[in-house]
Amino acid sequence: MTIVLGIETSCDETGVGIVRMPDSGVPELLANEIASSVEEHARFGGVVPEVASRAHLQAMVPAVHRALTTAGLTGRDVDAVAVTAGPGLAGALLVGVAAAKAYAAAWDVPLYGVNHLAAHVAVDTVQHGPLPPALALLVSGGHSSILAVPDLAGPVTPLGSTIDDAAGEAFDKVARLLGLPFPGGPWIDKAAREGDRNAIRFPRGLTGPRDAKHDFSFSGLKTAVARYVESLDGDVPVADVAASFQEAVTDVLTLKAVRAAQEFGMDTVLLGGGVAANSRLREMAEERCTAAGLTLRVPRPGLCTDNGAMVAALGAHLVHTGAQPSDLGIPANSSMPVTDVLV
Amino acid sequence: MLVLALDTSTPAVTAGLVRDGVTVAERVETDARKHGELLMPAVQAVCAEAGVALRELDAVVVGAGPGPFTGLRVGMVTAAALGDALGIPVHGVCSLDAIAAAVVADGPLTGNLLVVTDARRREVYWAAYEAEGARLSGPTVESPDALRERLPGLRLVAAAGTMADGFGLPVHEATPSPAGLVAVAPLHSAPGPLEPLYLRRPDAVPPGERKRVAR
């Protein structure tokens, strides 16, 4: 039995999670505390790295305290510290990595510097148990990736990713165009419920026969929405635009995820990242996976957005499989490749 | 009293152990882009050299800047986390004060001292001190030219810090030392909140009107 504390600071959420890893190898969630600086970024229309980094410094120690209190533990109970070493915002990652090293050294326990994307996959095991080999679709404000994950603690194979904007970024930009607040995802989702998703046929990026099969592009879609809105000269049908835009994004995401799962012989599709909280994406992924005979796994929204529990969960799997801990000289790596699960 | 002193407010990554005011082990490595990689191994190295475990520490003192933000935060969060995990107080001190304290400890000055470090963007962080080390002015961030205009009024006899050259003054100590950091820390009072001395706001501006995509 191992207690792992996980720290996540790759973007604008300071997350500290704690999991208990029994000998069975299925981690159990004990705490998942999050301090978000999202409101400080709202007026800038996007995450400002320096604002996020300052907030991490202020929030770090209190978040660790809250997590330990929630779990009913003290620092002496922690057996390992895991931290997101990358990818993410360099200055933001550095706060979490430095804190994790200090906690690991002071508690005299091993440190595991882990990959943020692999952690998004691993977190599902605290809710749904052991994960068979899976095709992961990770979509957030910073990432849009299709990954083959044969084994949680082993190497991940990147199959495709966005060539321009991340899906969540497209939601933010379209929300701004429609006069909706930041972050755009939840607002588009809400507005879309009142709209007709077939009202406007927006383009589906990279779905032509000669396009990169597993890559995404959302920049053209964003421009198409902007052109459409401008063509109206006021009086924008916000609900219809939101629904039609959301339909275009989820159509491409789910089509490519299902196709990749079939091509690589995976029976399970895992959906993760902040955009996985989108209700239409969850609904369409479920429909298409069922139709294709695939099992869909989606962690609950609080585990999809960035959090410390996912880092603790991946750390716990690494401890369980006997992975070599990281040394205290590891860097924060803003462009850490997804093939590296652990530094 | 055994104190761990850390500073990452300049390109130097400094860690030292100070027992009752005397430095027993010290590491200073200079790489402005590797504060995160160098600091904890330096802490471990000084502990190993002095033969002490982290749990034997009585307090942590950390330079709170001013200094380039990303590096500065490494020292700050490391100190905060160590203090929290070990259950010991963490004192944040002005890094320029620590430089001044070390200069004054070397021997009395005949007048005031200027401490200047690199704020990047063609600006400097500076503060001025009396001969005994009490701060007269600052910390401030501005251009070297703006600082030069103030020099006549400051009655200076020496300068210290990483940007001390070029002000026509004899130059002393460049970076905050463990002994200097500990000397300026109020070790016998309860520590105040640990606040970095950024001296600048994040340079982000809210977006203006969106540009049209079609002409």
Side-chain angles (χ1 to χ4, degrees), chain B residues 75-150:
Chain B
M76 297 288 289
V77 81
T78 299
L82 285 173
D84 179 49
L86 299 167
I88 56 176
V90 180
H91 299 270
V93 300
C94 173
S95 300
L96 305 179
D97 291 1
I99 295 174
V103 172
V104 170
D106 277 347
L109 297 173
T110 55
N112 297 336
L113 171 71
L114 175 70
V115 178
V116 203
T117 59
D118 190 359
R120 297 184 183 161
R121 303 181 188 181
R122 299 179 186 175
E123 290 191 318
V124 293
Y125 298 115
W126 70 270
Y129 298 83
E130 290 177 345
E132 292 78 31
R135 198 192 314 146
L136 285 169
S137 180
T140 306
V141 60
E142 61 188 359
S143 71
D145 285 344
L147 170 55
R148 255 177 222 110
E149 284 177 25
R150 297 176 194 274

Side-chain angles (χ1 to χ4, degrees), chain A:
Chain A
M1 205 269 300
T2 312
I3 302 284
V4 182
L5 180 135
I7 295 177
E8 153 65 33
T9 63
S10 70
C11 191
D12 61 336
E13 323 275 7
T14 313
V16 178
I18 301 176
V19 303
R20 176 192 289 129
M21 188 66 151
D23 297 336
S24 67
V26 181
E28 178 193 337
L29 183 60
L30 302 183
N32 190 20
E33 294 297 321
I34 292 169
S36 178
S37 59
V38 66
E39 285 173 12
E40 296 175 57
H41 304 288
R43 70 193 182 97
F44 300 111
V47 173
V48 180
E50 177 59 21
V51 172
S53 302
R54 289 185 181 196
H56 286 310
L57 175 60
Q58 295 307 314
M60 193 72 256
V61 167
V64 169
H65 267 259
R66 285 200 307 279
L68 286 170
T69 304
T70 304
L73 300 173
T74 72
R76 281 189 295 280
D77 300 314
V78 175
D79 299 306
V81 175
V83 62
T84 299
L89 302 171
L93 287 167
L94 196 51
V95 176
V97 170
K101 289 177 180 179
Y103 277 110
W107 289 332
D108 199 15
V109 298
L111 172 77
Y112 295 84
V114 307
N115 188 296
H116 178 81
L117 296 177
H120 267 304
V121 178
V123 74
D124 188 63
T125 58
V126 304
Q127 189 181 351
H128 296 122
L131 184 73
L135 188 291
L137 171 63
L138 298 184
V139 271
S140 70
H143 310 280
S144 302
S145 302
I146 293 185
L147 313 170
V149 187
D151 169 24
L152 277 179
V156 168
T157 308
L159 302 177
S161 65
T162 182
I163 59 167
D164 42 54
D165 291 353
E169 209 177 340
F171 272 91
D172 290 339
K173 288 173 177 171
V174 168
R176 189 161 165 243
L177 200 62
L178 296 175
L180 300 171
F182 173 87
W187 294 95
I188 298 254
D189 196 346
K190 192 167 169 229
R193 280 176 209 159
E194 312 296 320
D196 175 3
R197 61 175 83 115
N198 300 312
I200 310 132
R201 175 75 193 177
F202 287 125
R204 270 62 170 162
L206 295 186
T207 52
R210 303 212 320 231
D211 289 332
K213 228 168 160 184
H214 307 302
D215 284 340
F216 300 107
S217 166
F218 297 108
S219 167
L221 168 60
K222 172 195 69 190
T223 305
V225 176
R227 282 179 188 277
Y228 177 80
V229 168
E230 284 168 17
S231 74
L232 299 175
D233 262 332
D235 214 16
V236 178
V238 170
D240 285 351
V241 175
S244 301
F245 158 76
Q246 180 174 277
E247 195 70 4
V249 175
T250 52
D251 185 18
V252 178
L253 289 174
T254 53
L255 175 131
K256 294 203 173 205
V258 167
R259 186 168 65 191
Q262 290 172 323
E263 186 180 321
F264 289 87
M266 305 280 195
D267 296 328
T268 301
V269 171
L270 185 135
L271 182 57
V275 179
N278 180 275
S279 64
R280 181 60 184 148
L281 177 57
R282 294 170 92 100
E283 179 184 58
M284 196 188 283
E286 189 63 60
E287 281 167 17
R288 290 189 173 173
C289 283
T290 305
L294 302 169
T295 304
L296 176 70
R297 298 193 20 168
V298 196
R300 62 175 178 267
L303 296 178
C304 280
T305 46
D306 292 348
N307 64 81
M310 66 190 218
V311 180
L314 178 54
H317 285 288
L318 290 165
V319 172
H320 190 72
T321 54
Q324 186 70 27
S326 310
D327 77 54
L328 295 187
I330 60 166
N333 181 356
S334 59
S335 54
M336 185 173 178
V338 70
T339 44
D340 297 345
V341 170
L342 173 68
V343 189

Side-chain angles (χ1 to χ4, degrees), chain B residues 3-212:
Chain B
V3 181
L4 174 69
L6 308 175
D7 191 282
T8 57
S9 68
T10 72
V13 177
T14 299
L17 285 172
V18 179
R19 193 188 295 275
D20 302 324
V22 179
T23 303
V24 292
E26 178 174 1
R27 282 285 181 289
V28 182
E29 293 186 74
T30 304
D31 188 335
R33 303 189 61 82
K34 289 214 161 139
H35 291 76
E37 287 94 318
L38 296 173
L39 186 61
M40 268 321 288
V43 170
Q44 290 188 308
V46 295
C47 286
E49 185 184 323
V52 301
L54 284 171
R55 64 175 178 279
E56 295 172 50
L57 297 177
D58 296 304
V60 181
V61 174
V62 62
F69 311 151
T70 302
L72 176 63
R73 276 188 288 266
V74 170
M76 297 288 289
V77 81
T78 299
L82 285 173
D84 179 49
L86 299 167
I88 56 176
V90 180
H91 299 270
V93 300
C94 173
S95 300
L96 305 179
D97 291 1
I99 295 174
V103 172
V104 170
D106 277 347
L109 297 173
T110 55
N112 297 336
L113 171 71
L114 175 70
V115 178
V116 203
T117 59
D118 190 359
R120 297 184 183 161
R121 303 181 188 181
R122 299 179 186 175
E123 290 191 318
V124 293
Y125 298 115
W126 70 270
Y129 298 83
E130 290 177 345
E132 292 78 31
R135 198 192 314 146
L136 285 169
S137 180
T140 306
V141 60
E142 61 188 359
S143 71
D145 285 344
L147 170 55
R148 255 177 222 110
E149 284 177 25
R150 297 176 194 274
L151 293 182
L154 292 170
R155 298 194 311 280
L156 302 164
V157 297
T162 58
M163 299 293 274
D165 291 328
F167 294 96
L169 295 163
V171 170
H172 290 257
E173 185 119 353
T175 61
S177 64
L181 290 158
V182 173
V184 297
L187 291 176
H188 300 286
S189 341
L194 201 56
E195 297 282 358
L197 297 165
Y198 289 125
L199 309 189
R200 281 188 190 128
R201 292 179 173 283
D203 57 347
V205 284
E209 270 299 285
R210 200 182 57 81
K211 283 185 232 137
R212 292 178 67 88

